[in-house]
Amino acid sequence: MNIPININELEILRNTLYIHAKALNSVWNDKQYNYFLQNYVQPVTNDVQVAIDRLNDSIFALRIAVEELEDLAGKY
């Protein structure tokens, strides 16, 4: 089953995570907050960014393939 992936949604979720994590800064001291960011937030946002980059690379490759197929189809 093909399910469309909205890359903007991933970016919004990544930003939302940072916004909510930033709110904890007022509750925790700097050491606790930095630990939380480094060990929980940053790994997740890094994974999301890697997924976004892979999707963008795949989309680019697929667009090139589609253009080549359309070009071939136009010749026949």
Side-chain angles (χ1 to χ4, degrees):
M1 172 170 45
N2 293 333
I3 300 172
I5 298 172
N6 187 343
I7 295 174
N8 292 332
E9 288 278 329
L10 292 174
E11 291 172 344
I12 290 168
L13 288 173
R14 182 187 61 201
N15 292 335
T16 301
L17 176 60
Y18 263 119
I19 290 168
H20 289 294
K22 187 80 172 152
L24 292 172
N25 195 17
S26 64
V27 178
W28 290 341
N29 65 38
D30 288 341
K31 189 174 181 179
Q32 291 169 313
Y33 179 70
N34 289 337
Y35 179 86
F36 177 74
L37 281 183
Q38 290 174 358
N39 291 286
Y40 296 99
V41 176
Q42 196 62 46
V44 171
T45 55
N46 288 346
D47 288 346
V48 170
Q49 188 59 51
V50 167
I52 289 170
D53 292 343
R54 285 184 185 162
L55 287 169
N56 282 330
D57 290 345
S58 296
I59 289 168
F60 180 73
L62 288 169
R63 284 186 180 149
I64 290 173
V66 166
E67 288 174 8
E68 290 175 358
L69 287 170
E70 288 174 345
D71 190 41
L72 281 173
K75 292 179 181 178
Y76 296 99

